[in-house]
Amino acid sequence: MSYRYKVASVYLLGFFIDCINIFMSAVALPSLSATLHANSSAVAWVGNAYILGLTLIVPVSTWLAARFGNREILTASMLVFSGSVWMCGQADSFHELVLWRFVQGIGGGLLIPVGQALTFNLFQGEQRAKISTLVMAVALLAPAISPTVGGIIVDSSSWRWVFYSNIPFSLIAAGLSWFWIRERKPAELRRPDIKGLVFVSAALASLLMGMSLYGGDYPPLAALVFVIAGLLLIALYVLHYRRCNNAIVELSLLRSKKLSTSILVYYAIPGVFTGVNLMSIFFLQDTLHFSARLTGMFMIIYAIGAFIAMTLCGRVYNRVGAKRLFILGMLLHSAGIATLVLVNAPGDLWIIVLAYSLMGIGGGIGANTAQTTSLMDFAGGDTHKASVIWNINRQMSFSLGAALFLMIFNVLLKQFDTTQAYHATFAVAALVGLLPLFQMRQLKPERSAHEQRSG
């Protein structure tokens, strides 16, 4: 095997591990919350803590690799990941589990951007398209199989083995990183914007905490305090940004309609889906008494729809344009969420299959179009800065989606019975997923390739 494919193998293995940790753990949440006595408001922090760890470390991971060496950072990341996964499985309290999930996110966040940079620097031109296809295949394979595998593990043993099962993969990734990655002399890089990173991470944590507390068994004032703190931290970052020459998030780039619209769509589709899927897992397991295995299998339906949509979307993007694809993706995705409102009994399997099919097709169109469109206005150094914004917001969308709809469900649960509260939450989510439609008029249609040649 050539060196570049060795590097690509390390990156793809790490990327696969990261993906399955988001989706496999979700299917174990009902069992986990019962064992550790965590309510539905708090249980989202199993995912939030992991994503917060990723958000904190991703912007500085490249600097750390340049300072200490690629091989050392990649190996250390998977060793940290392995140790924290073991401690997650050993956790005797919910707070202990959340702490180790945060550490686990830091471990995963070190490998992904460093491995991606190494890989894409070794694959140029047409070869980069091939490796991108492999990355997309992993991104679809992981959510397709991990919920089903996680469900089998939960049904046959314990939620703890959902975490333990990661250890062989992460240890293999650590070993391959040490033996396959060639050492490079650390380069001198500008010191990262640590202060700005702290503001951004603290603001996200405060807003998530506020949404988690509101609607739960906590005083509304406590939730309000965290929300206000989050907004103040955002204001502090804006002031910091105006004085900093190397800010972690370059806010001026948000003037790009393509980037800002893509970010909104990502919140409306993958972000909303993360919350809807979490609510669906609890609805199907706790209310309709589906097994964890059957619940996880619906993600296979979603992944098939997303794969078909992404394949077609890549072929027609230049001819159809981002605006039309965004609109189609949001309409189909929200239609799928709205279909979940019709689910009332265990016999409604075909309704659930239809719902996940529509969400998969719409989600595939929307997410793929957003990924393609987001960085089109940038070149050179601005591309890297825009990429930082895109990836931080991509991670935030998952956490905010889960926290938002858990909050909405808990508020509705005080007014309706359980099934009605789930149905109302799905209806609200379907409407929220359509909000970026109001932004579409600002997105100018791209000129076709024929028009560009004629001009």
Side-chain angles (χ1 to χ4, degrees), residues 329-363:
M330 283 185 283
L331 291 175
L332 289 174
H333 186 255
S334 285
I337 297 173
T339 303
L340 289 174
V341 177
L342 303 176
V343 178
N344 290 291
D348 295 332
L349 279 175
W350 285 109
I351 298 178
I352 303 172
V353 170
L354 175 62
Y356 272 83
S357 298
L358 288 171
M359 287 189 288
I361 296 171

mmCIF file of all heavy atoms in Angstrom, residues 329-363:
data_model
loop_
_atom_site.group_PDB
_atom_site.id
_atom_site.type_symbol
_atom_site.label_atom_id
_atom_site.label_comp_id
_atom_site.label_asym_id
_atom_site.label_seq_id
_atom_site.Cartn_x
_atom_site.Cartn_y
_atom_site.Cartn_z
ATOM 1 N N GLY A 329 -35.110 20.092 -1.068
ATOM 2 C CA GLY A 329 -34.625 19.349 0.091
ATOM 3 C C GLY A 329 -35.403 19.668 1.355
ATOM 4 O O GLY A 329 -35.816 18.764 2.101
ATOM 5 N N MET A 330 -35.655 20.961 1.608
ATOM 6 C CA MET A 330 -36.394 21.348 2.814
ATOM 7 C C MET A 330 -37.833 20.851 2.776
ATOM 8 O O MET A 330 -38.367 20.387 3.800
ATOM 9 C CB MET A 330 -36.345 22.868 2.976
ATOM 10 C CG MET A 330 -35.016 23.389 3.506
ATOM 11 S SD MET A 330 -35.038 25.165 3.837
ATOM 12 C CE MET A 330 -34.902 25.813 2.166
ATOM 13 N N LEU A 331 -38.488 20.938 1.614
ATOM 14 C CA LEU A 331 -39.873 20.488 1.508
ATOM 15 C C LEU A 331 -40.003 18.986 1.760
ATOM 16 O O LEU A 331 -40.888 18.544 2.499
ATOM 17 C CB LEU A 331 -40.432 20.847 0.130
ATOM 18 C CG LEU A 331 -40.657 22.338 -0.144
ATOM 19 C CD1 LEU A 331 -41.094 22.548 -1.591
ATOM 20 C CD2 LEU A 331 -41.694 22.925 0.817
ATOM 21 N N LEU A 332 -39.114 18.197 1.167
ATOM 22 C CA LEU A 332 -39.167 16.747 1.358
ATOM 23 C C LEU A 332 -38.821 16.360 2.794
ATOM 24 O O LEU A 332 -39.468 15.487 3.393
ATOM 25 C CB LEU A 332 -38.209 16.056 0.377
ATOM 26 C CG LEU A 332 -38.613 16.072 -1.096
ATOM 27 C CD1 LEU A 332 -37.498 15.492 -1.956
ATOM 28 C CD2 LEU A 332 -39.910 15.290 -1.311
ATOM 29 N N HIS A 333 -37.803 17.015 3.350
ATOM 30 C CA HIS A 333 -37.371 16.695 4.713
ATOM 31 C C HIS A 333 -38.485 17.014 5.717
ATOM 32 O O HIS A 333 -38.796 16.186 6.597
ATOM 33 C CB HIS A 333 -36.104 17.491 5.047
ATOM 34 C CG HIS A 333 -35.499 17.139 6.366
ATOM 35 N ND1 HIS A 333 -35.599 17.950 7.472
ATOM 36 C CD2 HIS A 333 -34.795 16.051 6.766
ATOM 37 C CE1 HIS A 333 -34.971 17.393 8.481
ATOM 38 N NE2 HIS A 333 -34.474 16.241 8.091
ATOM 39 N N SER A 334 -39.087 18.191 5.600
ATOM 40 C CA SER A 334 -40.169 18.552 6.511
ATOM 41 C C SER A 334 -41.407 17.678 6.300
ATOM 42 O O SER A 334 -42.129 17.373 7.257
ATOM 43 C CB SER A 334 -40.532 20.028 6.341
ATOM 44 O OG SER A 334 -39.540 20.861 6.939
ATOM 45 N N ALA A 335 -41.648 17.258 5.056
ATOM 46 C CA ALA A 335 -42.767 16.341 4.798
ATOM 47 C C ALA A 335 -42.546 15.019 5.529
ATOM 48 O O ALA A 335 -43.489 14.426 6.081
ATOM 49 C CB ALA A 335 -42.918 16.101 3.295
ATOM 50 N N GLY A 336 -41.306 14.560 5.542
ATOM 51 C CA GLY A 336 -40.992 13.329 6.268
ATOM 52 C C GLY A 336 -41.210 13.474 7.759
ATOM 53 O O GLY A 336 -41.768 12.578 8.421
ATOM 54 N N ILE A 337 -40.787 14.610 8.328
ATOM 55 C CA ILE A 337 -40.997 14.842 9.757
ATOM 56 C C ILE A 337 -42.488 14.903 10.059
ATOM 57 O O ILE A 337 -42.973 14.317 11.042
ATOM 58 C CB ILE A 337 -40.307 16.150 10.195
ATOM 59 C CG1 ILE A 337 -38.789 16.052 9.993
ATOM 60 C CG2 ILE A 337 -40.613 16.448 11.665
ATOM 61 C CD1 ILE A 337 -38.057 17.355 10.231
ATOM 62 N N ALA A 338 -43.255 15.622 9.224
ATOM 63 C CA ALA A 338 -44.699 15.739 9.432
ATOM 64 C C ALA A 338 -45.382 14.376 9.369
ATOM 65 O O ALA A 338 -46.388 14.148 10.057
ATOM 66 C CB ALA A 338 -45.298 16.677 8.388
ATOM 67 N N THR A 339 -44.846 13.455 8.572
ATOM 68 C CA THR A 339 -45.425 12.112 8.463
ATOM 69 C C THR A 339 -45.363 11.370 9.792
ATOM 70 O O THR A 339 -46.226 10.529 10.082
ATOM 71 C CB THR A 339 -44.695 11.317 7.366
ATOM 72 O OG1 THR A 339 -44.771 12.038 6.128
ATOM 73 C CG2 THR A 339 -45.311 9.942 7.168
ATOM 74 N N LEU A 340 -44.366 11.671 10.627
ATOM 75 C CA LEU A 340 -44.262 11.014 11.932
ATOM 76 C C LEU A 340 -45.457 11.332 12.825
ATOM 77 O O LEU A 340 -45.747 10.587 13.770
ATOM 78 C CB LEU A 340 -42.970 11.441 12.630
ATOM 79 C CG LEU A 340 -41.653 10.898 12.047
ATOM 80 C CD1 LEU A 340 -40.461 11.533 12.758
ATOM 81 C CD2 LEU A 340 -41.598 9.380 12.172
ATOM 82 N N VAL A 341 -46.151 12.441 12.538
ATOM 83 C CA VAL A 341 -47.340 12.794 13.320
ATOM 84 C C VAL A 341 -48.431 11.733 13.167
ATOM 85 O O VAL A 341 -49.285 11.565 14.042
ATOM 86 C CB VAL A 341 -47.870 14.183 12.894
ATOM 87 C CG1 VAL A 341 -49.151 14.541 13.628
ATOM 88 C CG2 VAL A 341 -46.804 15.246 13.144
ATOM 89 N N LEU A 342 -48.397 10.990 12.056
ATOM 90 C CA LEU A 342 -49.426 9.981 11.782
ATOM 91 C C LEU A 342 -49.153 8.655 12.486
ATOM 92 O O LEU A 342 -49.996 7.747 12.445
ATOM 93 C CB LEU A 342 -49.511 9.733 10.272
ATOM 94 C CG LEU A 342 -49.793 10.965 9.394
ATOM 95 C CD1 LEU A 342 -49.762 10.586 7.925
ATOM 96 C CD2 LEU A 342 -51.124 11.595 9.770
ATOM 97 N N VAL A 343 -47.997 8.517 13.117
ATOM 98 C CA VAL A 343 -47.636 7.262 13.784
ATOM 99 C C VAL A 343 -48.303 7.201 15.158
ATOM 100 O O VAL A 343 -48.061 8.049 16.025
ATOM 101 C CB VAL A 343 -46.103 7.140 13.932
ATOM 102 C CG1 VAL A 343 -45.747 5.848 14.673
ATOM 103 C CG2 VAL A 343 -45.433 7.183 12.573
ATOM 104 N N ASN A 344 -49.144 6.193 15.365
ATOM 105 C CA ASN A 344 -49.883 6.059 16.633
ATOM 106 C C ASN A 344 -49.746 4.691 17.277
ATOM 107 O O ASN A 344 -49.993 4.551 18.473
ATOM 108 C CB ASN A 344 -51.378 6.331 16.403
ATOM 109 C CG ASN A 344 -51.654 7.789 16.105
ATOM 110 O OD1 ASN A 344 -51.521 8.638 16.972
ATOM 111 N ND2 ASN A 344 -52.049 8.070 14.860
ATOM 112 N N ALA A 345 -49.368 3.683 16.494
ATOM 113 C CA ALA A 345 -49.344 2.319 17.022
ATOM 114 C C ALA A 345 -48.175 1.540 16.427
ATOM 115 O O ALA A 345 -47.622 1.924 15.386
ATOM 116 C CB ALA A 345 -50.667 1.620 16.694
ATOM 117 N N PRO A 346 -47.780 0.424 17.070
ATOM 118 C CA PRO A 346 -46.668 -0.375 16.549
ATOM 119 C C PRO A 346 -46.895 -0.886 15.135
ATOM 120 O O PRO A 346 -45.942 -1.176 14.408
ATOM 121 C CB PRO A 346 -46.587 -1.545 17.548
ATOM 122 C CG PRO A 346 -47.161 -0.998 18.811
ATOM 123 C CD PRO A 346 -48.251 -0.066 18.375
ATOM 124 N N GLY A 347 -48.158 -0.981 14.717
ATOM 125 C CA GLY A 347 -48.451 -1.474 13.377
ATOM 126 C C GLY A 347 -48.220 -0.460 12.273
ATOM 127 O O GLY A 347 -48.335 -0.803 11.085
ATOM 128 N N ASP A 348 -47.867 0.756 12.629
ATOM 129 C CA ASP A 348 -47.671 1.804 11.618
ATOM 130 C C ASP A 348 -46.251 1.804 11.048
ATOM 131 O O ASP A 348 -45.654 2.867 10.806
ATOM 132 C CB ASP A 348 -47.971 3.188 12.233
ATOM 133 C CG ASP A 348 -49.426 3.351 12.624
ATOM 134 O OD1 ASP A 348 -50.275 2.688 11.991
ATOM 135 O OD2 ASP A 348 -49.702 4.125 13.563
ATOM 136 N N LEU A 349 -45.722 0.635 10.791
ATOM 137 C CA LEU A 349 -44.336 0.515 10.322
ATOM 138 C C LEU A 349 -44.119 1.206 8.987
ATOM 139 O O LEU A 349 -43.095 1.868 8.778
ATOM 140 C CB LEU A 349 -43.941 -0.968 10.210
ATOM 141 C CG LEU A 349 -43.513 -1.668 11.503
ATOM 142 C CD1 LEU A 349 -43.270 -3.140 11.238
ATOM 143 C CD2 LEU A 349 -42.259 -1.018 12.069
ATOM 144 N N TRP A 350 -45.085 1.038 8.063
ATOM 145 C CA TRP A 350 -44.890 1.612 6.729
ATOM 146 C C TRP A 350 -44.925 3.139 6.767
ATOM 147 O O TRP A 350 -44.270 3.806 5.961
ATOM 148 C CB TRP A 350 -45.943 1.071 5.761
ATOM 149 C CG TRP A 350 -45.649 -0.340 5.349
ATOM 150 C CD1 TRP A 350 -46.332 -1.463 5.715
ATOM 151 C CD2 TRP A 350 -44.559 -0.775 4.537
ATOM 152 N NE1 TRP A 350 -45.736 -2.575 5.190
ATOM 153 C CE2 TRP A 350 -44.646 -2.193 4.443
ATOM 154 C CE3 TRP A 350 -43.523 -0.133 3.874
ATOM 155 C CZ2 TRP A 350 -43.744 -2.955 3.721
ATOM 156 C CZ3 TRP A 350 -42.610 -0.891 3.149
ATOM 157 C CH2 TRP A 350 -42.733 -2.277 3.078
ATOM 158 N N ILE A 351 -45.656 3.700 7.713
ATOM 159 C CA ILE A 351 -45.657 5.159 7.867
ATOM 160 C C ILE A 351 -44.275 5.629 8.333
ATOM 161 O O ILE A 351 -43.749 6.638 7.851
ATOM 162 C CB ILE A 351 -46.741 5.600 8.863
ATOM 163 C CG1 ILE A 351 -48.128 5.197 8.347
ATOM 164 C CG2 ILE A 351 -46.674 7.110 9.093
ATOM 165 C CD1 ILE A 351 -49.262 5.547 9.310
ATOM 166 N N ILE A 352 -43.684 4.867 9.259
ATOM 167 C CA ILE A 352 -42.345 5.221 9.749
ATOM 168 C C ILE A 352 -41.318 5.092 8.630
ATOM 169 O O ILE A 352 -40.432 5.946 8.472
ATOM 170 C CB ILE A 352 -41.956 4.333 10.948
ATOM 171 C CG1 ILE A 352 -42.996 4.446 12.060
ATOM 172 C CG2 ILE A 352 -40.574 4.725 11.485
ATOM 173 C CD1 ILE A 352 -42.790 3.462 13.202
ATOM 174 N N VAL A 353 -41.426 4.009 7.841
ATOM 175 C CA VAL A 353 -40.516 3.821 6.703
ATOM 176 C C VAL A 353 -40.652 4.973 5.719
ATOM 177 O O VAL A 353 -39.650 5.512 5.222
ATOM 178 C CB VAL A 353 -40.795 2.472 6.002
ATOM 179 C CG1 VAL A 353 -40.038 2.377 4.679
ATOM 180 C CG2 VAL A 353 -40.404 1.311 6.910
ATOM 181 N N LEU A 354 -41.892 5.387 5.421
ATOM 182 C CA LEU A 354 -42.118 6.516 4.517
ATOM 183 C C LEU A 354 -41.508 7.789 5.090
ATOM 184 O O LEU A 354 -40.856 8.566 4.369
ATOM 185 C CB LEU A 354 -43.621 6.711 4.287
ATOM 186 C CG LEU A 354 -44.022 7.940 3.451
ATOM 187 C CD1 LEU A 354 -43.444 7.849 2.046
ATOM 188 C CD2 LEU A 354 -45.546 8.085 3.407
ATOM 189 N N ALA A 355 -41.689 8.001 6.385
ATOM 190 C CA ALA A 355 -41.157 9.207 7.027
ATOM 191 C C ALA A 355 -39.637 9.258 6.919
ATOM 192 O O ALA A 355 -39.063 10.289 6.528
ATOM 193 C CB ALA A 355 -41.593 9.251 8.488
ATOM 194 N N TYR A 356 -38.973 8.172 7.245
ATOM 195 C CA TYR A 356 -37.507 8.158 7.198
ATOM 196 C C TYR A 356 -36.989 8.193 5.759
ATOM 197 O O TYR A 356 -35.906 8.719 5.503
ATOM 198 C CB TYR A 356 -36.954 6.938 7.951
ATOM 199 C CG TYR A 356 -36.746 7.217 9.422
ATOM 200 C CD1 TYR A 356 -37.797 7.129 10.324
ATOM 201 C CD2 TYR A 356 -35.499 7.602 9.913
ATOM 202 C CE1 TYR A 356 -37.620 7.403 11.672
ATOM 203 C CE2 TYR A 356 -35.307 7.876 11.254
ATOM 204 C CZ TYR A 356 -36.369 7.777 12.131
ATOM 205 O OH TYR A 356 -36.181 8.075 13.470
ATOM 206 N N SER A 357 -37.765 7.651 4.822
ATOM 207 C CA SER A 357 -37.373 7.750 3.407
ATOM 208 C C SER A 357 -37.387 9.195 2.939
ATOM 209 O O SER A 357 -36.439 9.678 2.304
ATOM 210 C CB SER A 357 -38.311 6.908 2.539
ATOM 211 O OG SER A 357 -38.236 5.540 2.878
ATOM 212 N N LEU A 358 -38.482 9.897 3.259
ATOM 213 C CA LEU A 358 -38.576 11.299 2.858
ATOM 214 C C LEU A 358 -37.514 12.152 3.553
ATOM 215 O O LEU A 358 -36.901 13.023 2.928
ATOM 216 C CB LEU A 358 -39.974 11.834 3.194
ATOM 217 C CG LEU A 358 -41.124 11.330 2.318
ATOM 218 C CD1 LEU A 358 -42.468 11.762 2.897
ATOM 219 C CD2 LEU A 358 -40.974 11.830 0.894
ATOM 220 N N MET A 359 -37.299 11.903 4.842
ATOM 221 C CA MET A 359 -36.265 12.655 5.562
ATOM 222 C C MET A 359 -34.887 12.369 4.981
ATOM 223 O O MET A 359 -34.043 13.268 4.885
ATOM 224 C CB MET A 359 -36.303 12.320 7.057
ATOM 225 C CG MET A 359 -37.474 12.923 7.798
ATOM 226 S SD MET A 359 -37.375 12.740 9.610
ATOM 227 C CE MET A 359 -37.690 10.973 9.798
ATOM 228 N N GLY A 360 -34.636 11.119 4.587
ATOM 229 C CA GLY A 360 -33.345 10.771 4.006
ATOM 230 C C GLY A 360 -33.127 11.435 2.661
ATOM 231 O O GLY A 360 -32.062 12.011 2.408
ATOM 232 N N ILE A 361 -34.131 11.392 1.790
ATOM 233 C CA ILE A 361 -33.995 12.017 0.467
ATOM 234 C C ILE A 361 -33.856 13.532 0.605
ATOM 235 O O ILE A 361 -32.954 14.152 0.026
ATOM 236 C CB ILE A 361 -35.208 11.665 -0.417
ATOM 237 C CG1 ILE A 361 -35.242 10.155 -0.690
ATOM 238 C CG2 ILE A 361 -35.143 12.431 -1.737
ATOM 239 C CD1 ILE A 361 -36.513 9.680 -1.365
ATOM 240 N N GLY A 362 -34.754 14.142 1.377
ATOM 241 C CA GLY A 362 -34.665 15.588 1.582
ATOM 242 C C GLY A 362 -33.389 15.993 2.286
ATOM 243 O O GLY A 362 -32.748 16.995 1.920
ATOM 244 N N GLY A 363 -33.001 15.214 3.295
ATOM 245 C CA GLY A 363 -31.768 15.513 4.012
ATOM 246 C C GLY A 363 -30.546 15.378 3.140
ATOM 247 O O GLY A 363 -29.608 16.185 3.222
#
